[in-house]
């Protein structure tokens, strides 16, 4: 499997996978066939994460090829990432709480020799558990793991190796091509038993052997009776979504971030006079596949945006955007809404600075998010049951990548 960080490559992978997106996917999706064979899964997540390709067009293309019943499992998997984003969007304080824990634990590694040794063995692929160590190598060399392997990995990290889940989430975030703050952080919480209190995920040797085709069989090496992690914090209240702004007619500048790299389908009303590209805000390990993918994906989006709007797209650091916008003699900066995370935090500061000079940031929210995020008030079930009606309401057109 090769992940080429361009929209064209994402669309090519989608078209290649389409014949297998129906019942074949539902029957074989749980099998981790190994890094040499990803034919049973789409592996579209790195492109979807940055919206080089969008959920809308993926679902539209699948439904043009398969019945809704046959494609149900695949479409639900696409929606899981949306669910995680919506859940966090309704509880934004969760990520700041996690980030504080992560920073504290990284500092603890400097003081606690036992923790540092266990962490080093795990991240060096020297745990002595063959499957876990193989997944470490695969993660660091390719930037990707099968979803089942991610769950097994997280469970072994937490319940067998007894390492803090926050450090595991940090390790994944630095190496996964498709890591985003919501799905990564909340998936680790789910495995630990914190997302749904008391319900954790335990990796079992029999399950690993069966779903890896016998490649791994860690009998006697895993703690298969561990209790879930308990966190003594009050449930976070739900913060309703702020109504999404619209872009009114008038000249504007665009801001591209790696949260949405298909500006050709943004709902723009005025003429685009300038384009800024925010450098990658990921904390991917330097030189890693994830770091290279992010940088090249931004370059691809910048090239497409420049060609589409007829305006040069230039890199501009977040701190320099107010001066850059003033130099363009513009007062409106339009971008796609960044879900809760590092880029959203940068945009929050940018809004304040631009407001002080009489300018504004308009953050567009895609219809997919507008309809599905509010359904993430509890578990995935509510969103799943309403997903078909949402898809009907979006009236997806497989012939057009634009939002309708």
């Amino acid at each position: 499997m090769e992940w080429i960080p361009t929209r064209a490559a994402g669309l090519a992978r989608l078209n290649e996978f389409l014949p297998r997106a129906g019942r074949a996917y539902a029957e074989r999706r749980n099998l981790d066939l190994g890094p040499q064979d990803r034919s049973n899964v789409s592996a579209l997540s790195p492109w979807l994460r940055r919206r080089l390709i969008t959920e809308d067009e993926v679902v539209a293309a699948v439904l043009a090829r398969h019945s809704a019943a046959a494609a149900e499992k695949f479409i639900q998997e696409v929606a899981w990432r949306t669910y995680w984003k919506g859940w966090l969007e309704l509880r934004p304080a969760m990520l700041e709480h996690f980030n504080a824990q992560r920073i504290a634990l990284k500092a603890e590694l400097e003081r606690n020799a036992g923790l540092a040794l266990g962490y080093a063995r795990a991240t060096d692929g020297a745990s002595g558990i063959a499957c876990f160590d193989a997944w470490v190598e695969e993660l660091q060399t390719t930037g990707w793991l099968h979803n089942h392997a991610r769950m097994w990995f997280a469970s072994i990290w937490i319940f067998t190796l007894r390492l803090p889940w926050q450090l595991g989430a940090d390790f994944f975030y630095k190496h996964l091509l498709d890591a985003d703050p919501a799905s990564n952080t909340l998936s680790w919480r789910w495995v630990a038993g914190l997302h749904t209190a008391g319900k954790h995920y335990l990796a079992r040797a029999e399950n690993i052997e069966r779903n890896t085709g016998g490649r791994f069989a860690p009998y006697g090496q895993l703690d298969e009776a561990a209790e879930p992690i308990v966190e003594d914090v009050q449930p976070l209240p739900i913060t309703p979504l702020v109504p999404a702004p619209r872009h009114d007619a008038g000249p504007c500048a665009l801001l591209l971030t790696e949260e949405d790299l298909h500006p050709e389908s943004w709902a723009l009303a005025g003429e685009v006079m300038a384009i800024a590209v925010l450098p990658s805000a990921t904390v991917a390990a330097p030189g890693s596949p994830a770091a290279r993918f992010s940088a090249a994906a931004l370059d691809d989006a910048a090239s497409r945006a420049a060609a589409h709007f007829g305006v040069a797209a230039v890199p501009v650091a977040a701190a320099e955007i107010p001066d850059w916008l003033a130099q363009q003699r513009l007062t409106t900066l339009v971008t796609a809404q960044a879900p809760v995370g590092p880029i959203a935090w940068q945009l929050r500061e940018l809004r304040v600075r631009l407001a002080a000079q009489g300018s504004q940031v308009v953050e567009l929210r895609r219809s997919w998010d507008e309809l599905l995020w509010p359904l993430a008030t509890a578990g995935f079930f509510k969103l799943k049951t309403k997903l078909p009606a949402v898809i009907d309401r979006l009236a997806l057109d497989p012939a057009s990548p634009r939002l309708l």
Side-chain angles (χ1 to χ4, degrees), residues 8-168:
L11 290 173
R13 174 60 184 174
L14 170 61
N15 289 329
E16 178 190 356
F17 179 72
L18 277 178
R20 305 187 299 278
R23 300 197 187 281
Y25 173 81
E27 293 169 0
R28 294 174 53 79
R29 65 191 180 94
N30 285 333
L31 299 178
D32 180 2
L33 304 175
Q36 307 309 316
D37 185 356
R38 295 302 181 200
S39 60
N40 63 317
V41 293
S42 76
L44 290 171
S45 53
W47 293 285
L48 278 168
R49 182 263 177 272
R50 295 168 181 82
R51 282 183 165 156
L52 286 164
I53 58 176
T54 67
E55 297 89 344
D56 311 70
E57 60 189 320
V58 169
V59 171
V62 169
L63 289 175
R65 186 70 178 259
H66 302 276
S67 69
E72 179 182 39
K73 279 296 180 185
F74 179 77
I75 293 172
Q76 287 176 3
E77 287 302 315
V78 173
W80 261 104
R81 185 174 290 268
T82 305
Y83 164 73
W84 290 129
K85 287 179 181 292
W87 195 96
L88 193 59
E89 206 67 25
L90 298 175
R91 305 163 182 84
M94 173 63 75
L95 193 65
E96 301 205 22
H97 176 65
F98 158 74
N99 200 41
Q101 292 177 321
R102 180 189 66 83
I103 292 170
L105 284 164
K106 295 289 280 188
E108 180 68 14
L109 284 173
E110 302 295 325
R111 301 188 296 268
N112 187 325
L115 177 62
L117 178 61
Y119 177 82
R121 285 175 175 168
T123 56
D124 289 343
S127 72
I129 303 172
C131 57
F132 184 91
D133 295 341
W135 295 326
V136 170
E137 181 180 5
E138 183 180 353
L139 175 63
Q140 293 182 324
T141 57
T142 72
W144 200 83
L145 289 176
H146 185 282
N147 186 57
H148 226 147
R150 299 181 194 207
M151 294 191 298
W152 293 325
F153 184 108
S155 181
I156 293 170
W157 178 286
I158 297 167
F159 299 115
T160 296
L161 302 181
R162 303 289 178 179
L163 291 169
W165 71 267
Q166 297 91 336
L167 293 180

Side-chain angles (χ1 to χ4, degrees), residues 59-389:
V59 171
V62 169
L63 289 175
R65 186 70 178 259
H66 302 276
S67 69
E72 179 182 39
K73 279 296 180 185
F74 179 77
I75 293 172
Q76 287 176 3
E77 287 302 315
V78 173
W80 261 104
R81 185 174 290 268
T82 305
Y83 164 73
W84 290 129
K85 287 179 181 292
W87 195 96
L88 193 59
E89 206 67 25
L90 298 175
R91 305 163 182 84
M94 173 63 75
L95 193 65
E96 301 205 22
H97 176 65
F98 158 74
N99 200 41
Q101 292 177 321
R102 180 189 66 83
I103 292 170
L105 284 164
K106 295 289 280 188
E108 180 68 14
L109 284 173
E110 302 295 325
R111 301 188 296 268
N112 187 325
L115 177 62
L117 178 61
Y119 177 82
R121 285 175 175 168
T123 56
D124 289 343
S127 72
I129 303 172
C131 57
F132 184 91
D133 295 341
W135 295 326
V136 170
E137 181 180 5
E138 183 180 353
L139 175 63
Q140 293 182 324
T141 57
T142 72
W144 200 83
L145 289 176
H146 185 282
N147 186 57
H148 226 147
R150 299 181 194 207
M151 294 191 298
W152 293 325
F153 184 108
S155 181
I156 293 170
W157 178 286
I158 297 167
F159 299 115
T160 296
L161 302 181
R162 303 289 178 179
L163 291 169
W165 71 267
Q166 297 91 336
L167 293 180
D170 178 73
F171 182 61
F172 263 24
Y173 194 72
K174 284 181 167 58
H175 290 282
L176 282 172
L177 294 172
D178 59 12
D180 71 59
S183 63
N184 186 61
T185 306
L186 299 180
S187 292
W188 274 83
R189 284 178 55 83
W190 177 79
V191 170
L194 295 171
H195 185 72
T196 303
K199 294 184 179 180
H200 58 328
Y201 178 83
L202 283 176
R204 301 188 186 279
E206 183 277 331
N207 184 262
I208 293 174
E209 181 183 31
R210 173 163 40 85
N211 285 293
T212 62
R215 289 187 301 120
F216 302 113
Y219 289 96
Q221 293 184 287
L222 310 181
D223 187 342
E224 301 186 16
E227 294 295 319
I229 302 296
V230 177
E231 190 174 52
D232 186 21
V233 297
Q234 294 297 316
L236 291 173
I238 290 177
T239 303
L241 290 179
V242 175
R246 297 182 62 86
H247 175 225
D248 297 325
C252 68
L254 298 190
L255 176 63
L256 296 184
T257 80
E258 60 191 309
E259 292 292 352
D260 192 315
L261 295 179
H262 191 224
E264 302 96 311
S265 63
W266 293 359
L268 298 170
E271 184 178 2
V272 175
M273 308 297 293
I275 304 173
V277 182
L278 188 69
S280 177
T282 65
V283 290
S288 67
R292 295 196 300 270
F293 192 101
S294 289
L298 280 165
D299 289 343
D300 175 68
S303 296
R304 282 185 286 105
H308 183 78
F309 297 105
V311 177
V314 298
V316 184
E320 299 169 357
I321 288 175
D323 288 341
W324 173 82
L325 190 65
Q327 290 167 8
Q328 312 306 312
R329 299 187 177 182
L330 296 168
T331 58
T332 299
L333 183 69
V334 180
T335 189
Q337 179 175 2
V340 174
I343 292 177
W345 294 339
Q346 289 188 47
L347 291 179
R348 181 172 63 192
E349 296 177 3
L350 182 59
R351 282 197 301 273
V352 174
R353 294 185 59 199
L354 286 179
Q357 67 181 42
S359 300
Q360 64 173 338
V361 179
V362 178
E363 296 181 56
L364 303 174
R365 183 181 302 151
R366 289 187 177 269
S367 300
W368 178 270
D369 299 334
E370 181 75 14
L371 294 174
L372 289 175
W373 281 356
L375 301 179
T377 53
F380 181 68
F381 181 79
K382 180 180 178 181
L383 185 148
K384 179 177 73 172
T385 56
K386 294 191 176 183
L387 185 58

